[in-house]
């Protein structure tokens, strides 16, 4: 489970309106028949139009300054193992979203009219998408890049030879290109993975746009708050503030597991990923203490996540921990960073 919470992009050429982001979320519907399209929804409504989403978000910004985000984007990307537990990606993820947003409001340390906030106090719209493309930041693209650079250079030389701007053997260069294509470490359907290539398999994920202001347009609710959960004296009154991000990520996993009967492995948990960074000794102790079948799955998940592994597993658990730590720490830090905010 990978979850990101991102504030509205402001400044430069970015608009104060949510229209650009909503339009971006509509891109997957282009060219599809009406019955095949995914529509926006919220806690109680389905098939909400993009126009209504923009109107509701843009008109719910009372007293927010120009440089303050008017909305936040939450992206929820289940792993391929989590997606396998779903009977219908669209229906199940929609159901999960509505439970997830209950977790979201529960993680605010705020009150409205003397009571904790609830799901009816927030204004959000969500949309399910089913395709993804490789980005330049993806591990497969980055590790293929040295080969791509050499191939691009050789193709440039071939064109120069063909146009008489350079002398040399086209055949030799084409053979080098063929060899480099075969040597590239990451391929999909027989082709070298490049930026922009659609990812194979089930890529279903959730996009949520949630207003910075509550549904009454009077209270500011920021999941990007640097305050985890605290109280402050404001004009002689004690005011609660903050958003517990750790609790939200943990609840998101537990809600998914409970809803779909998913058996989450130790290394899939947010708590474990955070523990690796904060206290690697505890992480490795827990990892090596797993039952044999769970440990085998844990190592498989680590390999598939793109974190480099040692070629062979030493018999000494101390050696295992040391080698994994030295080889994997950088990769896990990147993985944690991409899956959450505020660690």
């Amino acid at each position: 489970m990978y979850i990101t919470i991102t504030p509205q992009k402001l400044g430069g050429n970015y608009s104060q309106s949510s229209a650009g982001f909503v339009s971006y979320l509509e891109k997957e519907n282009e060219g599809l028949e009406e019955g095949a399209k995914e529509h926006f929804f919220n806690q109680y409504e389905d098939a909400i139009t993009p126009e209504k989403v923009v109107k509701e978000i843009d008109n719910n910004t009372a007293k927010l300054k120009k440089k303050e985000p008017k909305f936040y984007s939450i992206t929820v990307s289940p792993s391929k193992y989590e997606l396998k537990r779903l009977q219908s990606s669209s229906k199940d993820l929609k159901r999960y979203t509505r439970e997830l947003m209950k977790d979201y409001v529960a993680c605010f340390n705020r009150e409205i009219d003397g009571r904790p906030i609830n799901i009816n106090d927030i204004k959000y719209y969500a949309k399910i998408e089913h395709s993804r493309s490789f980005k330049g930041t993806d591990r497969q693209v980055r590790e293929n890049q040295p080969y791509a650079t050499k191939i691009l250079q050789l193709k440039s030389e071939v064109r120069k030879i063909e146009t008489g701007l350079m002398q040399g053997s086209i055949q030799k260069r084409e053979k080098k290109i063929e060899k480099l294509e075969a040597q590239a470490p990451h391929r999909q359907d027989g082709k070298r993975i490049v930026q922009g290539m659609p990812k194979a398999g089930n890529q279903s994920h959730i996009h949520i746009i949630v207003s910075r202001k509550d549904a009454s347009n009077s209270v500011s609710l920021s999941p990007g708050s640097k305050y985890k959960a605290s109280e402050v004296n404001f004009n002689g009154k004690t005011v609660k503030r903050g958003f517990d991000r750790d609790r939200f990520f943990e609840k998101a996993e537990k809600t998914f597991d409970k809803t779909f009967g998913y058996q989450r492995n130790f290394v899939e948990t947010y708590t474990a990923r955070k523990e690796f960074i904060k206290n690697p000794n505890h992480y490795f102790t827990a990892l090596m203490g797993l039952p044999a079948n769970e440990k085998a799955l844990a190592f498989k998940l680590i390999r598939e996540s793109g974190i480099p592994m040692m070629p062979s597993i030493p018999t000494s658990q101390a050696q295992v921990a040391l080698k994994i730590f030295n080889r994997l720490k950088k990769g896990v830090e990147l993985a944690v960073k991409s899956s959450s905010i505020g660690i």
Side-chain angles (χ1 to χ4, degrees), residues 40 45 57 64 101 121 154 206 215 217 222 234 330 343:
F40 285 97
E45 299 175 276
I57 295 294
L64 288 177
M101 295 312 285
D121 291 318
L154 287 168
I206 309 161
N217 204 11
S222 171
F234 183 73
K330 183 178 180 181
I343 294 179

Side-chain angles (χ1 to χ4, degrees), residues 97 164 221 308:
T97 300
L221 299 172

Side-chain angles (χ1 to χ4, degrees), residues 64-77:
L64 288 177
K65 298 177 182 178
K66 190 174 182 180
K67 293 184 178 181
E68 290 183 300
K70 311 306 185 291
F71 63 86
Y72 283 83
S73 164
I74 304 175
T75 304
V76 183
S77 303

Side-chain angles (χ1 to χ4, degrees), residues 207-268:
H207 285 288
I208 305 167
I209 178 170
V210 57
S211 176
R212 167 73 174 268
K213 300 300 289 285
D214 77 320
S216 71
N217 204 11
S218 59
V219 178
S220 179
L221 299 172
S222 171
S225 171
K226 66 180 179 180
Y227 304 108
K228 183 175 181 179
S230 60
E231 295 182 351
V232 63
N233 187 282
F234 183 73
N235 292 336
K237 295 182 179 180
T238 299
V239 178
K240 292 183 178 181
R241 63 179 179 179
F243 180 78
D244 194 332
R245 303 168 187 174
D246 288 344
R247 186 177 173 218
F248 175 57
F249 294 129
E250 291 166 2
K251 285 175 73 69
E253 292 177 347
K254 291 178 181 178
T255 294
F256 186 93
D257 299 348
K258 181 180 179 181
T259 302
F260 303 111
Y262 185 71
Q263 300 296 315
R264 189 171 301 277
N265 186 273
F266 168 74
V267 298
E268 293 180 277

Side-chain angles (χ1 to χ4, degrees), residues 91-220:
K91 291 181 180 179
D92 287 344
L93 288 180
K94 185 179 291 186
R95 178 159 61 103
Y96 172 63
T97 300
R98 287 167 170 158
E99 294 302 314
L100 177 70
M101 295 312 285
K102 294 177 185 178
D103 294 334
Y104 175 79
V105 297
C107 294
F108 279 101
N109 186 46
R110 295 293 302 273
E111 291 183 348
I112 296 178
D113 297 330
R115 61 167 175 77
I117 66 171
N118 61 51
I119 191 63
N120 297 317
D121 291 318
I122 65 169
K123 187 182 288 288
Y124 83 87
Y125 299 92
K127 195 168 185 289
I128 310 300
E129 290 193 336
H130 301 288
S131 65
R132 283 187 182 280
S133 297
F134 285 100
K135 298 179 181 179
T137 54
D138 285 334
R139 174 182 61 91
Q140 297 91 333
V141 176
R142 288 188 287 106
E143 293 181 1
N144 274 355
Q145 189 55 49
Y147 300 86
T149 301
K150 292 177 182 178
I151 289 170
L152 184 63
Q153 176 61 36
L154 287 168
K155 286 183 176 180
S156 175
E157 291 176 4
V158 167
R159 287 192 295 270
K160 288 180 179 179
I161 293 172
E162 288 175 337
T163 57
L165 296 175
M166 177 179 173
Q167 292 185 343
S169 171
I170 292 178
Q171 186 176 16
K172 286 183 178 180
R173 284 166 174 79
E174 288 178 340
K175 285 184 177 180
K176 287 182 179 179
I177 291 173
E178 185 178 344
K179 184 177 181 180
L180 287 168
E181 290 283 7
Q183 290 176 338
H186 302 290
R187 307 175 72 80
Q188 179 177 278
D189 298 330
K191 297 181 180 180
R192 172 171 51 89
I193 291 176
V194 297
Q195 183 174 346
M197 176 184 287
K199 293 184 177 181
N202 189 344
Q203 299 294 329
S204 297
H205 57 285
I206 309 161
H207 285 288
I208 305 167
I209 178 170
V210 57
S211 176
R212 167 73 174 268
K213 300 300 289 285
D214 77 320
S216 71
N217 204 11
S218 59
V219 178
S220 179

